[in-house]
Amino acid sequence: MDGVGMGLILHHKSLGKVFEVRCLHIPVNDRTPFEGLVQTVENTIKHEHDSSPNRPIYLVGDSFGGCLAVAVAARNPQIDLLLILVNPATSFAKTPLQPILPLLESMPSEFHVTVPYLLSFVMGDPLKMASVSIENNLSPPETLQKLSDSLTSMLPLLSELADIIPRDTLLWKLKLLKNGAAYANSRLHAVQAEVLLLASGSDNLLPSRDEADRLFKALKNCRVRYFKDNGHTLLLEDGVNLLSVIKGVNMYRRGRQRDFVTDYLPPTLSEFKKTFDEDHKLFHLALSPVMMSTMKNGKIVRSLSGIPDKGPVLFVGYHALMGIEVSPLYEEFLREKKKIVRGLAHPLLFGTKSESSRQELSRLDTVSMYGGLPVTPINMYRLFERNEFVLLYPGGVREALHRKNEEYKLFWPHQPEFVRMAARFGVTVIPFGCVGEDDVLELVVDYNDQKNIPGLREWIESINKEADRVRDSVKGEDGNQDMHLPAVLPKVPGRFYYLFGKPIEMKGMNNLVRDRKSANDVYLRIKSEVEEIMSYLKRKREEDPYRSIAQRALYQATWGVSAQVPTFEP
């Protein structure tokens, strides 16, 4: 990290619950040359590898540490390493501070005290660093006071940097940076490791944004997450959680290969609050989702009480435009049932071919964090085997990226893809429907329009050319699974309505495993129930006095934002 481990101070607790953490410490007066430091790290890596040869080793290199990590990886291609480079100093030769570096060498020792002040404000965003310890639920005046106190408390720490970084040490560090950057850059071609590069867009110490472009092309297996508003000290700034980033990009694994089923790490409470109490809060507030389920006696209730508490459970339903219904569903299951729903999705969503060197954290990272995994028979088999809650959309991409005037139309394939496997494991199948997309989004340019636009047509063909084809064997409309990005316009938000139908117990129905006709009958029954549920919701929402966002806003202004807004009587 930074030699004394300060870069991990906000992350070591969460990382320590998942990894065995080691931190390289370089004493202030240490004068070990760069190759000596490489050897030190290398010896540790080899010892860990010899102790546990089947476990991957993660090397987190922040700034200068990025040069060390690259160098070690280049020299040890036979060891299973994953590099996480945070604004790596491989770009040191292009730093905007180059003109003042000769001045530092000639500066009298009594003036070196000004250098830490200069570097501290160049390296990071003081406001983001001061915001780390401030709670999110404070009023604006309280937040301002806390921020002021935090900034004030940082000043003595900055003055102590003069003692931590004496002039001779600073000059030695700069020499190490120069040598380390040259050493690492000369060996980029030899790096075989999987690399995750975290780059800041407002790094005033190093040109990290441009370096991300360069390394993305130069390294064989490099992915980038770009933080456009952060400074050089990314890991010390508010809103960045290293473990969350690792989980979101599916880079956590226990063995040589990533296992989407067993390597999955559920979100922590802090990650849940970050996602649903901050990032998605306004979206969910605008939708004001109504969640209903059906008890065994057929009674519809406004809760998830009709959902079993134990798996295996398979939810089968309608996929709304661009999958906008998934996030509220995940939140409600976590809040009420304390359950992760493992969503089976198109493999392209978990690939890297469409990523760029300016790839920011995205909704796809959130899908992975909350249990999403590629839809394959083996993944479904293993999830049922582990008694998980599983979410399946038989209509897939064709349904989620439907054309104009196709909302609420099912595009399920003709063969019963999931029924026989559900019968084999005695799964409880729950058909469900969701309506509301027509109250939220308007589809402006659909797939048919885009295929007639030069340039856009070629782009669609290119992203689908090498993508995994989920349904190549399915002919006709139901098999058309081309990935694309439809153009939509937001509407004044209406409301989302979910209804989970009466559970269908597959236990004791082993005959469906071999009896294709009976399995198909059950499949058609499930599909019919999903269609009936959506017809019911479309009809009943007309009775909701709070379908309009204006009425909901008035209700919440009266009773509080956290109050559950009423709806129609089931």
Side-chain angles (χ1 to χ4, degrees), residues 235-300:
L235 297 183
L236 288 173
E237 297 180 14
D238 188 38
V240 180
N241 184 310
L242 182 56
L243 181 59
S244 298
V245 176
I246 293 171
K247 291 159 68 171
V249 298
N250 287 309
M251 275 189 67
Y252 177 73
R253 55 183 172 85
R254 295 178 175 89
R256 281 276 176 185
Q257 299 294 326
R258 159 79 174 168
D259 187 318
F260 281 93
V261 175
T262 59
D263 284 338
Y264 173 65
L265 297 172
T268 62
L269 181 59
S270 62
E271 287 170 338
F272 175 84
K273 289 180 177 178
K274 174 74 169 62
T275 301
F276 297 113
D277 292 344
E278 296 178 36
D279 298 348
H280 295 192
K281 184 176 182 178
L282 290 178
F283 176 65
H284 291 191
L285 195 63
L287 297 182
S288 188
V290 176
M291 295 274 178
M292 296 176 289
S293 62
T294 309
M295 307 300 288
K296 287 186 177 181
N297 61 6
K299 182 182 178 181
I300 297 175

Side-chain angles (χ1 to χ4, degrees), residues 44-211:
T44 304
I45 294 300
K46 288 180 176 179
H47 173 74
E48 293 291 343
H49 177 67
D50 291 342
S51 301
S52 305
N54 296 320
R55 285 201 303 181
I57 298 172
Y58 290 69
L59 278 183
V60 183
D62 186 4
S63 193
F64 170 68
C67 297
L68 275 176
V70 167
V72 172
R75 288 165 51 130
N76 296 275
Q78 77 286 358
I79 297 179
D80 185 14
L81 298 176
L82 292 94
L83 305 190
I84 300 174
L85 308 179
V86 186
N87 296 323
T90 46
S91 62
F92 181 69
K94 299 176 183 176
T95 174
L97 297 181
Q98 280 290 353
I100 72 167
L101 296 181
L103 296 177
L104 295 179
E105 297 184 13
S106 58
M107 182 183 292
S109 59
E110 61 267 24
F111 291 117
H112 88 279
V113 72
T114 61
V115 175
Y117 283 98
L118 170 69
L119 291 181
S120 64
F121 285 101
V122 167
M123 289 168 69
D125 183 336
L127 284 176
K128 285 186 180 292
M129 295 169 73
S131 299
V132 167
S133 59
I134 299 176
E135 300 91 341
N136 294 317
N137 56 354
L138 299 179
S139 66
E142 290 174 321
T143 301
L144 191 61
Q145 182 60 48
K146 285 274 189 181
L147 187 61
S148 175
D149 294 343
S150 184
L151 281 168
T152 303
S153 67
M154 287 173 63
L155 293 176
L157 296 176
L158 296 179
S159 65
E160 290 174 11
L161 284 173
D163 299 322
I164 297 173
I165 313 177
R167 177 176 177 274
D168 290 345
T169 298
L170 182 61
L171 293 176
W172 174 254
K173 295 276 188 185
L174 292 173
K175 182 180 178 182
L176 271 182
L177 274 171
K178 184 178 180 181
N179 294 339
Y183 188 101
N185 282 319
S186 68
R187 290 163 174 79
L188 288 177
H189 64 280
V191 175
Q192 303 294 324
E194 192 176 348
V195 180
L196 173 62
L197 174 59
L198 309 185
S200 294
S202 299
D203 187 345
N204 296 320
L205 185 65
L206 295 171
S208 295
R209 180 175 53 194
D210 295 336
E211 185 67 354

Side-chain angles (χ1 to χ4, degrees), residues 432-485:
F432 75 95
C434 171
V435 303
E437 69 168 70
D438 56 331
D439 280 348
V440 177
L441 297 174
E442 181 176 353
L443 184 54
V444 180
V445 183
D446 66 7
Y447 177 80
N448 294 331
D449 296 328
Q450 293 185 14
K451 289 289 281 185
N452 293 322
I453 301 174
L456 205 50
R457 178 177 59 242
E458 287 73 22
W459 179 78
I460 292 173
E461 290 173 354
S462 68
I463 64 171
N464 285 278
K465 187 176 181 180
E466 298 180 5
D468 294 323
R469 305 297 292 185
V470 177
R471 289 192 184 139
D472 267 352
S473 60
V474 181
K475 305 300 181 185
E477 264 301 278
D478 295 341
N480 191 339
Q481 294 283 309
D482 274 0
M483 295 289 282
H484 64 288
L485 191 62

